Amino acid sequence: MQNNQATAMPRPGGHLIEQKDIKKTISLFIKNWYVFALLIAMGIGFAVLFLYKSTKYYGATTTILLKKQDNALENAFKGTIKNESEKIESANEILLLSSRRLIGDAIKKLNLEVSYYIEGRIKTVEVYNGTPFIIEGRLIDPTLYNKPFNIQVNSNNTCRIWLSEEHGEFNKSVSFGQAVQSPRFSFSVIGNDEILKGNNSLNNVKYKFVFNEKQDLISRYRKALKFTQEKDASAIIAEVEDVVQDRAVDFLKGLTEIYIENSISAKKEVNEKTVDYLEDELKIVTSNLGQVSIMAAQQKSSTGIITEGVADAKLQQQMQLQSELSRKQVEYENIERLNELLNNEGEDVSAISSILMTQNNVGLSSTLNELQQKIQLKQTYDLQYTAASPQVKEVERQIGNLKAQMITNVITIRRSLVTQINSLKSQIASLGGAISNIPEAERTIQNITRNQALTERMYTFLMETRTQTLMAKAAIIPDRIILEPAIAQGLIRPIPMKVFVSGIGIGIALSLLTIFFRSIYYNYVTSRDDIKELSSLPILGVIAKTKEAEKEYMLVDKHPQSIASEAFRVIRSNLNHYGPKEGCKIAMFTSTVASEGKTFCAVNTGTILAKSKKKVILLDLDLHKPKQANAFNMQNDTGVTTFLSGKANLKSVIKESSVPNLDVMLSGPRVPNASELLLDPALDMMINQLKQQYDYILFDTAPVGLISDALELMKYADLTLFVMKANYSKKDFIEVAHHVAEKKDSKGFGIILNAVSQKNITAGYGGGYYK
């Protein structure tokens, strides 16, 4: 095969993915099975470690119905008592449920400000119920928050408490119920008699307790809370996570109970302020009624006139007008007071609500309901945001607009009342002239009687309103109902199955990435296929990596039945296709860099040729770093350099090896002008003489990537054998082989791949029979 060109072979066919690519990919994964096994095992190991080390979180859930409940008594007075909104906004209720105030109240109710732990040999576990004691008290030194106090039960009546040295020295034995005093804390240990009684093994249990900073605890539970609004119903689903399942359930129970209690107390507060207002008005009217009755009795006694209540028609008409005027004046006073309250800066609308309960004005009541909602929303925002936040600014703007709307309505109502009062006064004045003709004594009695009747009517009105308000108070029921009580959801996170699946998935993903990047960035030749992908240069042999080859240069002679020896027989067969059919053949061994195995390949190729009854001579032409003397265990006293320098004849520099038919010409002593010696005409004469004596002449030359000697010797060679070493020679070295093959003096070219892993060797390249 002459003048081989280093052109890459085109990929046959036009398919995007070819069958051989699929086979190669599958083969790549099979060859790297250990990567999958290792990384998947590591993934499972990390999953086990994560599950052991991670904190377990358990869940609890409850459902709250926000639908307002109907009540017969409340509906009976709905026209005059309007203290509740008909529309409940779920979003506002969620904000209220997640407010710091309600969560803080729940924490205080359940005494969660102290956490309890049992210290085990491997892991410390938090406990909620079942401890033989509870802690009641507080910390004075804030630096002790979240710092563990150690406690050990000594007997049924005593325990020992101590702090770790880094948290300050404290060690004291106390009786249960006894106060534990220090400048840094003050608390008592209350024993649980049911657990302490008859339990003698408690002294072997190591307990710890921790005081939690309340604001931190509130923030922790706010973060753990999750709320969901039902789409088709006015309901809220509340969920919470906690490291202790029973505590999660109790926390939701406590939070919802406080939420409902606050809802009822808000209604009662408005009702009570209304009753207080009516009581004040009744005291005034009762006092006036008593004074009018006394005046009537005194007048009758002094004049001797006894009236039976029969009055002139005009007096009756005037009395009705006076009664109406009194009502309107009371309404005017209430409207004036309402206007004053609305113009105040405060946001307490309970007093406004109590006034509106005496006014049957649907428009004002509706606006007040909306104002109450916005003020409640602002109170919730104040606990969550700063005063300058957009949420607070927006709700303040809405509150201002609603107040302005109510003030506008109040001004309109006041103007109407002024007009009505003036009209009534005018009518009463016109009737006064007609009544003036009635005798003065009788007229006086009639006036007193009329005032007495008006006061009695006002008293009756206030008493009826007060009775209705008290009945409404008795009718107050919660309109927030626990539809589903708090129940445990079990382990929320981490889910063991998900963690294991994730660990295995991560292991597989890392395996694929490792193999992928290794195949891309691993720039070393590993098999015959790597060379075939990058070059069309012929591959004359693939030599397996064996333990024997690592120890012996003379592999073919010492281990003739090894897989590597079989590979050299393949090389011997391929050499027959190169060079002249008759006469001597010259083959040159070279490489890109040192240590790729060219001397090893040259020695064993010469040996396998000699064993086939061919006369072979091996020339060590690497004059810079010769190795053949070590391979044949010879003294490198004479050789190529001594002959080319004229110090010895050809016969004296040729040495017989231990292998029959194989002679060796060593490099000889080192000389400073080694490269120049190879250009001496004496080399031509030496090679011509050797051709007459041998069937094969093998050149062992210096690496072409380091020294140009081999390029100068190519003109003598019938075949240049370029040696590459698996997992050592870089893929870039193939470009060097191309460069060597393209030299005009190269008559033939082939690649030998050395030290290939046996799993990467296919039959036909020394790997079929002897494997």
Side-chain angles (χ1 to χ4, degrees), residues 1 3-4 537-538 540 578 590 714 718-722 736-738 740-741 746-751:
M1 187 179 293
N3 298 326
N4 292 286
L537 294 173
L540 271 66
Y578 294 86
T590 188
M714 284 178 61
D718 298 309
L719 173 64
T720 299
L721 297 172
F722 195 90
V736 179
H738 287 169
V740 175
S746 175
K747 302 180 181 66
F749 194 89
I751 295 176

Side-chain angles (χ1 to χ4, degrees), residues 408-448:
T408 302
N409 292 339
V410 165
I411 292 173
T412 303
I413 295 171
R414 185 175 61 181
R415 289 175 181 173
S416 175
L417 287 173
V418 170
T419 302
Q420 295 177 37
I421 289 172
N422 290 336
S423 175
L424 289 171
K425 286 182 177 180
S426 178
Q427 294 179 50
I428 292 171
S430 63
L431 288 173
I435 296 174
S436 61
N437 296 326
I438 300 174
E440 182 178 354
E442 186 177 355
R443 190 167 61 248
T444 301
I445 292 298
Q446 291 292 337
N447 288 335
I448 293 173

Side-chain angles (χ1 to χ4, degrees), residues 75-118:
N75 290 339
F77 305 114
K78 210 169 187 179
T80 57
I81 304 174
K82 296 193 175 286
N83 62 340
E84 283 299 320
S85 171
E86 298 292 338
K87 180 181 180 181
I88 301 174
E89 298 181 6
S90 298
N92 293 346
E93 298 305 311
I94 289 175
L95 288 172
L96 182 60
L97 277 165
S98 61
S99 65
R100 301 185 72 89
R101 179 175 61 85
L102 254 63
I103 293 175
D105 290 345
I107 289 172
K108 184 177 181 180
K109 179 178 181 179
L110 298 174
N111 192 27
L112 301 182
E113 294 176 346
V114 180
S115 299
Y116 303 89
Y117 301 86
I118 294 179

Side-chain angles (χ1 to χ4, degrees), residues 73 194 731:
L73 289 174
E194 293 182 2
K731 293 180 179 179

